[in-house]
mmCIF file of all heavy atoms in Angstrom:
data_model
loop_
_atom_site.group_PDB
_atom_site.id
_atom_site.type_symbol
_atom_site.label_atom_id
_atom_site.label_comp_id
_atom_site.label_asym_id
_atom_site.label_seq_id
_atom_site.Cartn_x
_atom_site.Cartn_y
_atom_site.Cartn_z
ATOM 1 N N HIS A 108 -27.596 79.584 -12.992
ATOM 2 C CA HIS A 108 -26.299 80.142 -13.302
ATOM 3 C C HIS A 108 -26.487 81.547 -13.708
ATOM 4 O O HIS A 108 -27.458 81.925 -14.404
ATOM 5 C CB HIS A 108 -25.648 79.321 -14.422
ATOM 6 C CG HIS A 108 -25.475 77.901 -14.080
ATOM 7 N ND1 HIS A 108 -24.500 77.468 -13.233
ATOM 8 C CD2 HIS A 108 -26.190 76.835 -14.412
ATOM 9 C CE1 HIS A 108 -24.613 76.143 -13.095
ATOM 10 N NE2 HIS A 108 -25.603 75.776 -13.804
ATOM 11 N N SER A 109 -25.599 82.461 -13.286
ATOM 12 C CA SER A 109 -25.737 83.875 -13.505
ATOM 13 C C SER A 109 -25.887 84.177 -14.993
ATOM 14 O O SER A 109 -26.567 85.145 -15.367
ATOM 15 C CB SER A 109 -24.557 84.648 -12.894
ATOM 16 O OG SER A 109 -23.365 84.213 -13.498
ATOM 17 N N ASP A 110 -25.256 83.436 -15.902
ATOM 18 C CA ASP A 110 -25.443 83.702 -17.326
ATOM 19 C C ASP A 110 -26.786 83.304 -17.873
ATOM 20 O O ASP A 110 -27.162 83.636 -18.933
ATOM 21 C CB ASP A 110 -24.334 83.113 -18.125
ATOM 22 C CG ASP A 110 -24.233 81.622 -17.993
ATOM 23 O OD1 ASP A 110 -24.677 81.067 -17.012
ATOM 24 O OD2 ASP A 110 -23.547 80.945 -18.851
ATOM 25 N N ASP A 111 -27.527 82.486 -17.067
ATOM 26 C CA ASP A 111 -28.877 82.099 -17.476
ATOM 27 C C ASP A 111 -29.931 83.156 -17.140
ATOM 28 O O ASP A 111 -31.032 83.119 -17.600
ATOM 29 C CB ASP A 111 -29.312 80.816 -16.752
ATOM 30 C CG ASP A 111 -28.466 79.610 -17.171
ATOM 31 O OD1 ASP A 111 -27.938 79.674 -18.288
ATOM 32 O OD2 ASP A 111 -28.499 78.643 -16.451
ATOM 33 N N ASP A 112 -29.566 84.123 -16.298
ATOM 34 C CA ASP A 112 -30.478 85.157 -15.842
ATOM 35 C C ASP A 112 -30.599 86.251 -16.903
ATOM 36 O O ASP A 112 -29.806 87.261 -16.828
ATOM 37 C CB ASP A 112 -30.044 85.657 -14.490
ATOM 38 C CG ASP A 112 -31.063 86.525 -13.849
ATOM 39 O OD1 ASP A 112 -32.199 86.627 -14.328
ATOM 40 O OD2 ASP A 112 -30.760 87.113 -12.820
ATOM 41 N N LEU A 113 -31.511 86.123 -17.835
ATOM 42 C CA LEU A 113 -31.555 87.079 -18.945
ATOM 43 C C LEU A 113 -32.124 88.424 -18.597
ATOM 44 O O LEU A 113 -31.857 89.409 -19.181
ATOM 45 C CB LEU A 113 -32.397 86.463 -20.058
ATOM 46 C CG LEU A 113 -31.874 85.125 -20.620
ATOM 47 C CD1 LEU A 113 -32.830 84.602 -21.683
ATOM 48 C CD2 LEU A 113 -30.507 85.302 -21.211
ATOM 49 N N ASP A 114 -32.962 88.471 -17.520
ATOM 50 C CA ASP A 114 -33.517 89.761 -17.184
ATOM 51 C C ASP A 114 -32.645 90.585 -16.245
ATOM 52 O O ASP A 114 -32.926 91.714 -15.965
ATOM 53 C CB ASP A 114 -34.907 89.587 -16.588
ATOM 54 C CG ASP A 114 -34.965 88.915 -15.198
ATOM 55 O OD1 ASP A 114 -33.837 88.546 -14.699
ATOM 56 O OD2 ASP A 114 -36.022 88.750 -14.674
ATOM 57 N N GLY A 115 -31.529 89.984 -15.782
ATOM 58 C CA GLY A 115 -30.588 90.777 -14.983
ATOM 59 C C GLY A 115 -31.033 90.931 -13.534
ATOM 60 O O GLY A 115 -30.273 91.510 -12.751
ATOM 61 N N GLY A 116 -32.214 90.509 -13.146
ATOM 62 C CA GLY A 116 -32.714 90.699 -11.805
ATOM 63 C C GLY A 116 -32.804 89.398 -11.082
ATOM 64 O O GLY A 116 -32.351 88.357 -11.555
ATOM 65 N N ASP A 117 -33.266 89.483 -9.844
ATOM 66 C CA ASP A 117 -33.487 88.260 -9.020
ATOM 67 C C ASP A 117 -34.828 87.670 -9.352
ATOM 68 O O ASP A 117 -35.807 87.881 -8.679
ATOM 69 C CB ASP A 117 -33.412 88.629 -7.563
ATOM 70 C CG ASP A 117 -31.965 88.947 -7.159
ATOM 71 O OD1 ASP A 117 -31.071 88.412 -7.753
ATOM 72 O OD2 ASP A 117 -31.815 89.781 -6.255
ATOM 73 N N SER A 118 -34.837 86.922 -10.447
ATOM 74 C CA SER A 118 -36.114 86.323 -10.884
ATOM 75 C C SER A 118 -36.197 84.856 -10.474
ATOM 76 O O SER A 118 -35.258 84.110 -10.586
ATOM 77 C CB SER A 118 -36.174 86.354 -12.428
ATOM 78 O OG SER A 118 -37.283 85.706 -12.935
ATOM 79 N N PRO A 119 -37.465 84.454 -9.975
ATOM 80 C CA PRO A 119 -37.620 83.046 -9.679
ATOM 81 C C PRO A 119 -37.819 82.194 -10.919
ATOM 82 O O PRO A 119 -38.020 80.997 -10.794
ATOM 83 C CB PRO A 119 -38.887 83.040 -8.828
ATOM 84 C CG PRO A 119 -39.669 84.251 -9.356
ATOM 85 C CD PRO A 119 -38.602 85.192 -9.708
ATOM 86 N N ARG A 120 -37.836 82.791 -12.078
ATOM 87 C CA ARG A 120 -38.053 82.027 -13.293
ATOM 88 C C ARG A 120 -36.772 81.285 -13.765
ATOM 89 O O ARG A 120 -35.763 81.928 -13.845
ATOM 90 C CB ARG A 120 -38.566 82.956 -14.413
ATOM 91 C CG ARG A 120 -39.945 83.482 -14.116
ATOM 92 C CD ARG A 120 -40.371 84.479 -15.096
ATOM 93 N NE ARG A 120 -41.692 84.986 -14.788
ATOM 94 C CZ ARG A 120 -41.929 85.944 -13.938
ATOM 95 N NH1 ARG A 120 -40.959 86.535 -13.350
ATOM 96 N NH2 ARG A 120 -43.143 86.334 -13.703
ATOM 97 N N LEU A 121 -36.890 80.009 -13.944
ATOM 98 C CA LEU A 121 -35.735 79.242 -14.386
ATOM 99 C C LEU A 121 -36.111 78.593 -15.753
ATOM 100 O O LEU A 121 -36.814 77.636 -15.823
ATOM 101 C CB LEU A 121 -35.409 78.163 -13.397
ATOM 102 C CG LEU A 121 -35.148 78.585 -11.952
ATOM 103 C CD1 LEU A 121 -35.020 77.417 -11.035
ATOM 104 C CD2 LEU A 121 -33.983 79.472 -11.904
#
Side-chain angles (χ1 to χ4, degrees):
H108 301 284
S109 59
D110 57 340
D111 292 340
D112 190 8
L113 300 177
D114 67 0
D117 289 328
S118 174
R120 292 175 180 85
L121 304 176

